[in-house]
Amino acid sequence: MTDYDYDLFVIGAGSGGVRASRISAAHGAKVAIAEEHRVGGTCVIRGCVPKKLLVYGAHFAQDMVDAKRFGWNTEGATFDWETLRDNVAAEVNRLEGLYGQTLGNNNVEIFRERAIVTGPNSVQLVSGREITAAHILVATGAWPSVPDIPGAGYGITSNEVFSLPALPTRAVIAGGGYIANEFAGIFNELGVDVTLVTHGDRILRSYDDEIVDRLVDTSRHKGIDIRLNTAFESITKRDDGSLLIQCKNGEQIETDLLLWAIGRTPHSKALGLEEVGVDLANDGSVKVGDDNRTNVPSIYAVGDVTNRVQLTPIAIREGHAFADTVFGNNPRTVNYDCIPTAVFSNPPIGSVGMTEAEARAKHQDVKIYKSDFRAMKNVLADRNERALYKMVVAGAEEKVVGLHLIGPDSGEIMQAAAIAVKAGLTKQDFDDTVALHPSMAEELVLMK
Ligand code: NDP
């Protein structure tokens, strides 16, 4: 029994918040959740899910070209952006409904409005109602960053990109990370003239250099203009609606669409957190311990708002661990080792563990095995695009400490391969596994 209205009040119905609410409720807690936008959060509504569907949609362009070599006559095939956009939106609506249903089925009460923290055990809904809770969980995610430069507002972010009224003729994508490379691939395949502009000397900084070099080469070959070391100064809008980007190095770029993809800022402002004494880091992220608890003992946080690893499956694990710990009598922490990741660029990248540079900085005896090959499908398609698989091993026993792939279906292949790396297997273990032929994944057990 509790004197509070709820055992748990969750702010934010994204991946972390929804998982935490439903598991807490399943453990017997009385739970409410507030969401000011749409149930499902970034991943479902304006991130991973609609993005992946656009990746599929765009890839038909390449398949259609390749299909001719496989005997298909694709003459007259046309693409309609509105159909893809609206079908993706309908799927997102369906998933949003399912998320709401799941919460309802677990007796989680949903308040479809903004909530802010007003005390260690109280929140206020924007409509005015004050609610008390034994525990408060902040799961408000992150928000696309936009730089503070003149005219930045003429650009859009990943929040708006899924509902474009029409495809632009030219697009400039600012940034060199996940979103920039994924949308560079999508727009390029859909026939948009793409320029990717980043301020640093590398794209995808956390990925293995050789894999990234292969993506840069392949992207450039496909016609994506990648400009490194190019910082923005200002953006002006012209009478014809186009944008003129002035760069600090004197370059000017004309475009019809500017997409900011320069990172995401933890969504912790104006939530009342500082007022109740919750510690925030300089980047705005909510500081938490391994148990997801802030310095205010009744207030917890999970997911992107904590800026530990900004990935959906991590937010889900953090939310689940929180629920098991606080309401399930099963204290658990998340293990952040060997997290497999993918960039759904064209071609996609899959990665787990240490890059070659990271391994060399940490271990004395590092060895690299590689397979640089053309996928069978690309050979018949006469597509001069090579895949690269790279295995990083360390120590006399040749333990696999990193695995990095670029090539068709790399994300799919990586999920299974990551199990072996996470389990601490060696190069010999990979070699002892019989190749599954013919496949691209067989290269994993045939590396030289
Ligand atoms: P990322 O953190 O991946 O990358 C940001 C990029 O923008 C970097 O290349 C950075 O360069 C560059 N950059 C930063 N500031 C500027 C600037 N002012 N001008 C130009 N370039 C700049 O951010 P994203 O927005 O792509 O993605 C946000 C997060 O969302 C990611 O961290 C990821 O965790 C998640 N995400 C995951 C996906 C997946 O798992 N497939 C897909 C999409 C998003 P530098 O490194 O040189 O500073």
Side-chain angles (χ1 to χ4, degrees):
M1 288 301 280
T2 162
D3 293 336
Y4 299 108
D5 298 327
Y6 295 94
D7 298 314
L8 172 65
F9 194 95
V10 180
I11 306 180
S15 301
V18 167
R19 176 59 69 94
S21 323
R22 102 174 151 73
I23 301 298
S24 299
H27 286 314
K30 186 178 177 199
V31 183
I33 191 166
E35 171 56 57
E36 63 178 324
H37 299 295
R38 294 172 64 185
V39 171
T42 300
C43 176
V44 176
I45 306 295
R46 51 189 173 273
C48 329
V49 170
K51 179 278 308 290
K52 188 74 185 278
L53 292 171
L54 290 192
V55 167
Y56 284 132
H59 204 61
F60 283 101
Q62 186 170 313
D63 289 341
M64 213 84 74
V65 172
D66 294 351
K68 291 181 191 135
R69 290 274 307 163
F70 288 82
W72 291 89
N73 178 3
T74 54
E75 228 164 87
T78 57
F79 171 71
D80 180 42
W81 163 250
E82 289 179 29
T83 302
L84 176 60
R85 180 198 64 196
D86 294 350
N87 286 346
V88 169
E91 174 59 7
V92 166
N93 290 343
R94 188 184 72 85
L95 292 172
E96 181 186 12
L98 286 180
Y99 269 66
Q101 244 175 47
T102 303
L103 289 171
N105 291 345
N106 284 278
N107 298 318
V108 175
E109 193 169 345
I110 309 174
F111 294 101
R112 293 178 189 272
E113 56 182 305
R114 183 173 173 78
I116 60 163
V117 178
T118 49
N121 297 101
S122 62
V123 300
Q124 188 177 39
L125 301 178
V126 75
S127 54
R129 183 169 160 197
E130 190 87 19
I131 293 174
T132 61
H135 303 86
I136 295 169
L137 177 68
V138 181
T140 45
W143 204 246
S145 312
V146 173
D148 186 15
I149 58 168
Y154 293 127
I156 64 162
T157 69
S158 53
N159 286 347
E160 295 81 37
V161 75
F162 298 104
S163 48
L164 289 177
L167 278 181
T169 307
R170 300 163 297 182
V172 167
I173 306 180
Y178 285 87
I179 297 176
N181 284 285
E182 292 177 346
F183 273 93
I186 292 167
F187 280 149
N188 170 261
E189 290 205 82
L190 295 180
V192 177
D193 189 354
V194 178
T195 308
L196 186 148
V197 181
T198 188
H199 62 177
D201 59 345
R202 290 204 71 72
I203 61 166
L204 293 168
R205 205 169 279 289
S206 63
Y207 282 82
D208 188 88
D209 288 346
E210 273 182 287
I211 298 289
V212 171
D213 288 346
R214 181 63 54 95
L215 179 64
V216 170
D217 289 348
T218 311
S219 297
R220 284 184 167 147
H221 187 74
K222 288 176 187 292
I224 298 171
D225 180 1
I226 297 182
R227 303 197 194 177
L228 307 174
N229 299 310
T230 306
F232 290 87
E233 193 167 83
S234 65
I235 295 104
T236 46
K237 190 163 191 162
R238 293 158 142 189
D239 292 343
D240 64 359
S242 66
L243 303 177
L244 183 66
I245 298 169
Q246 180 65 52
C247 303
K248 286 188 180 158
N249 60 7
E251 281 177 41
Q252 290 190 325
I253 313 173
E254 285 177 36
T255 188
D256 306 302
L257 179 88
L258 168 62
L259 172 64
W260 295 116
I262 59 170
R264 295 171 59 83
T265 309
H267 203 199
S268 63
K269 294 286 169 226
L271 272 180
L273 293 171
E274 286 145 302
E275 289 77 356
V276 300
V278 172
D279 279 348
L280 302 183
N282 289 339
D283 64 0
S285 58
V286 179
K287 286 193 195 172
V288 288
D290 287 347
D291 57 357
N292 301 300
R293 195 192 280 244
T294 71
N295 58 310
V296 177
S298 54
I299 302 181
Y300 294 73
V302 295
D304 286 1
V305 75
T306 65
N307 206 10
R308 286 173 282 185
V309 181
Q310 287 191 354
L311 292 173
T312 296
I314 296 298
I316 290 173
R317 282 187 174 230
E318 289 169 353
H320 204 130
F322 157 83
D324 285 350
T325 303
V326 177
F327 298 106
N329 197 25
N330 176 21
R332 292 202 300 116
T333 56
V334 173
N335 179 338
Y336 296 92
D337 262 2
C338 280
I339 298 169
T341 58
V343 185
F344 296 101
S345 44
N346 181 29
I349 292 175
S351 175
V352 69
M354 283 184 250
T355 62
E356 179 177 352
E358 285 166 348
R360 291 202 188 283
K362 189 165 178 205
H363 298 282
Q364 292 289 327
D365 41 1
V366 169
K367 200 168 166 195
I368 305 297
Y369 292 95
K370 282 186 212 171
S371 179
D372 190 334
F373 64 101
R374 196 143 71 113
M376 198 188 227
K377 190 177 165 199
N378 283 345
V379 176
L380 193 70
D382 201 17
R383 180 171 287 283
N384 189 17
E385 203 174 294
R386 298 185 71 80
L388 177 64
Y389 287 10
K390 186 167 170 182
M391 181 182 276
V392 184
V393 307
E397 76 285 19
E398 298 205 332
K399 181 177 166 185
V400 180
V401 295
L403 197 54
H404 310 280
L405 322 177
I406 180 167
D409 299 329
S410 285
E412 302 291 339
I413 296 166
M414 180 48 72
Q415 178 67 83
I419 299 169
V421 179
K422 175 90 179 160
L425 300 191
T426 62
K427 171 75 166 77
Q428 191 61 50
D429 293 317
F430 276 74
D431 292 351
D432 287 346
T433 306
V434 174
L436 190 158
H437 185 72
S439 67
M440 293 176 286
E442 70 181 310
E443 297 297 330
L444 290 173
V445 299
L446 300 171
M447 279 197 217
K448 298 276 187 297

